[in-house]
Amino acid sequence: MSLPAPAERAWPGAALPPLATRARSAAEDEDAPLIGVLALQGGVAEHVAALERSGARTRLVKVPEQLDGLDGLVLPGGESTTMTLGIEREGLAEPLRGFVGSGAPVLATCAGLILLDRAHLDLLPLDCVRNAFGRQVRSFEADLEISGLEGGPLRAIFIRAPQVRHADDAVTVTATVDDAVVGVRHGAVEGYAFHPELTGDDRLHAAFVARCRRA
Ligand SMILES: NC(=O)CC[C@H](N)C(=O)O
């Protein structure tokens, strides 16, 4: 597969209403799973919107207590160094290890996936190489087959995306682009190097919400 020409893409978040408004307008359905979105930095509003379109209630997670009672957690993309500093500042490392280690469903995208690798929270037995697609092709889009996802290829937006390397055998590879691993599953964690929240195709979020509902 050859990659389309690089295209810088602005974060579309500026066009969305303030986060607090979106979180308050979460589905009123009490049976809907309650899914947290780590909200220290990055593409938070877009994940909240995709989760709510998929029938979930959402909660922004900025401090450890906000992990209590969640049915699942999304770790969004953004800037992993900034998020790591926020995790340290808020004392979130151990609570996140506890939450993910408990086997609760987790969806991690881009910088969120980096946070889980051996060099960060060490919750996935793999390494992420940051900005791995090189300086020239920092952002691109591709249609990817995701194993286990029905309905045909998914449009995937890569923004200074990482690649997964040295994954243990226990890690299932669910998506690749030009032989680079960009989708993984390990236990209840699914991770993607791209941004499924930016396309309006909510199939990954819908499948994740269904997984949280069953858990
Ligand atoms: N879109 C993204 O999340 C990019 C991740 C970013 N390059 C990092 O290393 O943190």
Side-chain angles (χ1 to χ4, degrees):
M1 188 189 319
S2 68
L3 302 180
E8 288 295 329
R9 172 177 283 261
W11 290 101
L16 294 168
L19 287 175
T21 311
R22 301 195 69 83
R24 268 203 305 277
S25 68
E28 307 266 306
D29 173 10
E30 287 196 1
D31 293 332
L34 177 62
I35 301 180
V37 180
L38 185 68
L40 299 171
Q41 186 267 337
V44 176
E46 295 83 354
H47 274 293
V48 167
L51 290 166
E52 292 185 358
R53 286 195 301 268
S54 302
R57 295 177 294 140
T58 58
R59 180 197 289 162
L60 304 183
V61 175
K62 297 173 187 247
V63 294
E65 304 76 64
Q66 289 164 336
L67 290 168
D68 293 347
L70 293 179
D71 298 308
L73 180 67
V74 171
L75 304 174
E79 219 293 311
S80 55
T81 304
T82 307
M83 285 193 226
T84 298
L85 291 172
I87 286 170
E88 283 173 17
R89 186 185 65 235
E90 302 300 337
L92 269 161
E94 284 314 312
L96 284 170
R97 286 199 180 95
F99 186 86
V100 179
S102 76
V106 174
L107 169 64
T109 62
C110 206
L113 175 59
I114 295 171
L115 292 179
L116 297 178
D117 82 355
R118 290 190 183 98
H120 293 83
L121 291 170
D122 195 17
L123 285 163
L124 288 178
L126 52 78
D127 302 324
C128 286
V129 177
R130 295 174 65 185
N131 307 317
F133 288 93
R135 297 184 68 180
Q136 297 305 315
V137 189
R138 293 188 335 190
S139 302
F140 61 94
E141 301 186 15
D143 292 315
L144 299 188
E145 288 289 350
I146 315 285
S147 80
L149 189 73
E150 291 177 2
L154 186 83
R155 190 77 178 160
I157 299 176
F158 293 82
I159 304 172
R160 299 183 183 85
Q163 291 177 8
V164 172
R165 307 269 172 85
H166 312 125
D168 270 19
D169 290 346
V171 175
T172 303
V173 173
T174 58
T176 58
V177 62
D178 283 352
D179 293 333
V181 174
V182 293
V184 292
R185 192 171 303 139
H186 181 259
V189 178
E190 60 184 305
Y192 305 98
F194 53 89
H195 288 267
E197 77 283 11
L198 295 182
T199 59
D201 180 341
D202 292 330
R203 281 180 290 154
L204 275 185
H205 287 86
F208 179 66
V209 170
R211 202 151 71 75
C212 294
R213 201 185 285 275
R214 286 193 301 270

